Amino acid sequence: MKRFFIKSAVFAAVTLSVFSFFSCKDLFNMQIPKSVSVATDAEYNVNLGTMKYSLSDTLSTSAITEQMQESLGNSMQLYNYIQDDAADTEKDESDILSYVLHYPVYEVPVDIGSYLDDLDFDSVFSSADFGFNFDQTISVPSVSGTSTTPIGLDFMDEFKETIDENLSANSFTIDTCYEPGIKQELESNHGSISIVSEAEKIYYKTGSAIEITFEKTDSNACTEGFVFEGMGFLSSDGTSSDLGGSDWVSVKDGGTIEIPLDNAEGLPSEFYVCLKGKSSGGDLGTAHSYKVNIGLADGSDLLRVENIKKHSADFGIDPVDFQMEVSTSEMEGLFNSATISDGNIELSTSPISGWSGVDTEIEFNFAGNTISGSDITDGPSAATTLFDKVADISGTVITPSETPIAIGGTVTVEVYGATIDFTTDVSSLEIAYSYEINSLSDVEIDLTSPKYNNIQTSYSLSTDGTGSCIELTDQLTKYVKSITFGEQSGTSYYKHNSSGNLDNTIPAEGLGFKFTLVNTLDTDDLTINVNSNIMNYHLTKNLSTTSDSGESQTWVQYPEVDFTALNTSQKNYVDFTFEFANTTITLNSITLGQDYKLSLAFEKMLYDWDSVTLNSDGTSVDGENSLESFDLSSLLDGLSLDEESIKNINIATLPVFFYAQKPTSTDDSLSDILNALHLSGKISIDYTTTDSSGNTQNDSVYVLGSESSGENLNFMTDTVPWPADISTIIASDETAAALAAEGKVFDSEVLPYLNEANADKYSFTTDLADIINAYPETMNFKYSLALGGTNSDTVIYSQMLSNISSGGSGSESTVSDTSIKIDMAIILSFNLELKGDIVVDIMSFYKDDWATSDEDLLSRDSASTYEKYAEYCDAIDSFAMYYRIDNEVFNGLDFKAGIDDSYTGIQKEIDLSEGKLNTLSFSSREIEKILTTYPFHPSVTMTLTGGTESSPKDLTMSRKQMDSEDGAYLGASVKLKLDLSNRAYIKIWGED
C-alpha cells in the first residue's frame, strides 16, 4: 500500500503543479506522516502545501535587458516606466508592467576619440584571449658535477724491499770457528755489503736498523772463558764507520747486532754495511759453526727519500684515466646552442706535505676537444696538494640534448728527482675531478620551443567576426574618409589648433599602445613587429633589457588612416598583427642557475587623433539595424506558448519616438562646420510577414520621406536627458514622490520627450503595434541618409572639441554627445489583448518531449498487477484533490484545463477559477485503471479564455506585484482526501 499511496500522491501533485506552470520541485511546506493506519469508513486528509511559478525571471528588467542585448548590443538601455492613470479609462495604468527602451540607431562621428573608445580596444587587448599578453619565466639550471678515482702512489715498500733483498742476499755461514785458546784478542773483518738505493738520500724513521743475527749451529759447548763478539757499521767508502755503527755484541752462543739506520744526515744512494769480529780464550781446538742472517729489523720504515733516481713506471705507477659526463638534458629546448663563456674542469688531490719535485702531466678532453697548454693552469690549492690543475673550457660550443657531454683525460705522475716524505699516508690518495659551467654566451634560443609555451610568437586580431575582434562601425567607415594622429615638425609630432594651424605647443601622442615590459634577458635580438593595414600602423620594436620590476613602454606612430579604400558593403575589422621578427634569437649571455623573465602586459590603447575628414558630399549611405527582438514571441518566451496561440495575443500600443540631434560648440570654427552639416534621405521600418497560405509579403512604414523620395531631417534643439543609472524609474513627479518615500531613484525629466503631444520634443514618431501584431519574421530599422555640408570634405580638428556638447542646456556631455545621431525610445507596456483562446500544453513544463514520448508519469517500468493492489483499491471509495489558484500577475485572466489519457480512457475537466476551492476527484475504478495500465501518459492542456478578433479581451501584467518582495507568480494551495469504505483495519503506510 505504501507504494500505491505515494504514487497516487505524486500523480496528484504533479497533475496540479503542471496546471500552475511549474514542476514538483517547487513544492514547499509539504508534510507527510511517518506512519498511517485507517479503519472502517475512515476519511484521511493531508495538506500538500503551496506551489508557485515565478514570472520574475521572464519579465523582469534584467531578463528583458539580457534578451534585447543579444540582438541590439550593450548600447541598449532599459528603464522601468510607471504611467499615470488616464481619467477616461477604468484600467489602472500605473499598475501595468511597462518599460522604456532607449537605443541609438544611427550616428555620424564628430569626435573620433569617442568612436575609438567605443571600439573597445582596451577590453580586447586586456582580455585573456589576447595572445600577446604573456608572462614567461626561464629557469636556467645549474651545470656542475664531481667524481673521484684512486691513484696508486704507495711505493715505499719498493725502497724497503730493495735494501732488504740486498742484505738478505749477503747472509752467510761460518762453518768452523775455533776457540783461540789464548788470551790475546784476535780481530777480523768479514767484509762489506754494498747497498745501492733509487734515491740520492734516504732517511729512516727513528728505531730503524739493520739486524745481523748469529745463530749457533753446532752442538759443542763453548769453553769457559771463550769470548766471541761482533759489531757492524755503515760506511760511505767501505772502510770508515762514518755513517754510524753498533756496539760490540757477544755472539758465541748466538746474538743480534743492530746497526742504526736513523742517521740524522741520511744515507747516501750507495753505502756499505761492514761487519767485524773478535775472539779470545777458550780451549784451543774446540770448533763451532754459525749461521749469520742479515736484514732490516722489524719496524724499520723509511722516513723520506730525496732526489729519486727512478721513473714512475719503474715503480709500477701507471697513468690514471678519469672519465665523467655532463648532462645537458634539462637545458634541451631552452636553447639550441651556446658557447661556454665561463667554465672549467678541475683535477686535484687532497692536501699532502713533504712531497716536492713531483711532476704531473694531465691531458683533458671535453666535448671531443683536447685541452692543453695555456688553457691548463694551477688551481687554488696547488701549493698544498700533489697537484691542482684547472682546464679552461670556455669557447666550447655545446648543443643541449639527451646525450651527455663526455669529459675525460689522463693523469701521469713522474717521481724521478722528487722528494717523498713517507710519513704521509698515500695508500688511499684519490684524484678529485669536477666540472662547472657558470655562464654561456651567444645563446641561440627558439621561442617556439615548449620551454617557452607561455609566449605566443604571433597573434592577429580576428577579421572574420569570430574570437577577439574589433569591428569598425558603418558610421565610421561610411562617413569618415580619413583620420590623422599628428604632423611632424623637426623631430617631433604636433597637433593642429582649433583654427586648423599646426601648433608646436600641442604635442601629439599618436596612435599606439602602452605595454609593461619585463625583460631580464641580455639580448639585442628580441624584436616585435606590429602591423595594421587598416590603421596604417607599421612598427618594429626592440624589447630592450629591463629590471626585474619592468618598465612601461609606449609604442606609437603618427599615421594617416584612410577609410576610402574599404569595402563598405561588408563588415570591416581592425587587423592588428603582433609577431616576433625572428623566433630564433641570440642572447649575449646567461648565467646558469638563474631565473630570467620575459613578460608583456597590455596597459592601454593610445589614439590621440589630430583631425578627421568627414564625407559630406551628399552621397547617400545605406544601413539598417535589426529590431527582431521586439516580437511578442521573444518578449513572452518564458510562457512557452505555441505559435498558433501566441498569434491570438496583440499588444495594444507600442509607440516609438525618434530623436535627431547634433552637437553644438562655443568654438566659432567648429560651430560654423556643425551648422552647415545636414542630413536628408529616407528612414523606414521594414518587415516581412507570412500569411496562412505561406505567402511572404514585404512591407515598409516610412518615418522619414517615402519610398519614392527623401526629405530633410529636422534636428532637435535640445537633448533627451536620459538617466545615466538604468535602475532609475521613469515616472511623473506625483508618482515619483511615492517612489522616493520607498527609497527608489526616479526621474521625471524624460516624460515630456515620451509624449506625442510635444512635437518639439522629438523628431518623428510612429506606433509599431500593428507591425508587431502582424508577427513579422524580420523587422529592421532601415535608412538611406546623405550628409551634406559647405564642402564635400569636412575637416574637424580635435582641438575644436573642447567646448562641444549635444545642445541641451544643463545636460552632461556623454560619449555620444559629440556625434550626429538618431536615437529611438520605445514604450513597451504589457497591456495585451486576447483575440482568441490561448492553449498551453502543460506537460511540456514537466518534460520538453512529453508529447512525443510514451513515458509513464508514475515512473514505472510496466503495469502494476491488480492482485498487488486489490486489497487497497477495494478499500478506497474515492480520491480527491482540493486546490485554490493564486494569480498575482495577470489582471483579468480566466483559464481552464483538461486531462486526456488515451491509454486509460480517463478524461476530466479541471476548474481553474481563481479565489475558490476547486475539486479534482478520482473514483476507485479510475485509480485502478491508472495503476493497472501502462503507461499512464496523460495529455494536460490549459486554455486562457480570450475574446474575438473584433472584441478582444484585455490582459495586463501587474507591475506592483512584479516589484513586490514575493515577485510575480502563479500558484496554488493543495490538499488530498481519501474516503475508505472497507470494514477492515488497513495500514496505509508505515515504517514496516
Side-chain angles (χ1 to χ4, degrees), residues 182-202:
I182 59 173
K183 292 183 178 180
Q184 182 180 0
E185 288 184 345
L186 300 177
E187 185 173 322
S188 64
N189 290 320
H190 172 70
S192 61
I193 302 171
S194 176
I195 304 297
V196 179
S197 69
E198 293 85 4
E200 188 175 293
K201 260 192 178 180
I202 304 175

Side-chain angles (χ1 to χ4, degrees), residues 774-787:
Y775 291 91
E777 282 82 17
T778 63
M779 184 167 61
N780 295 289
F781 174 86
K782 192 172 183 179
Y783 60 85
S784 177
L785 295 173
L787 179 67

Side-chain angles (χ1 to χ4, degrees), residues 171-175 212-218 254-255 289-294:
S171 295
F172 60 93
T173 60
I174 301 174
D175 296 327
I212 302 175
T213 302
F214 283 78
E215 180 185 351
K216 185 172 178 296
T217 58
D218 66 290
S289 60
Y290 294 92
K291 180 180 180 182
V292 182
N293 294 313
I294 305 174

Side-chain angles (χ1 to χ4, degrees), residues 909-920:
E909 290 292 328
I910 304 173
D911 187 356
L912 297 180
S913 300
E914 282 187 64
K916 71 181 185 71
L917 193 64
N918 299 305
T919 305
L920 176 63

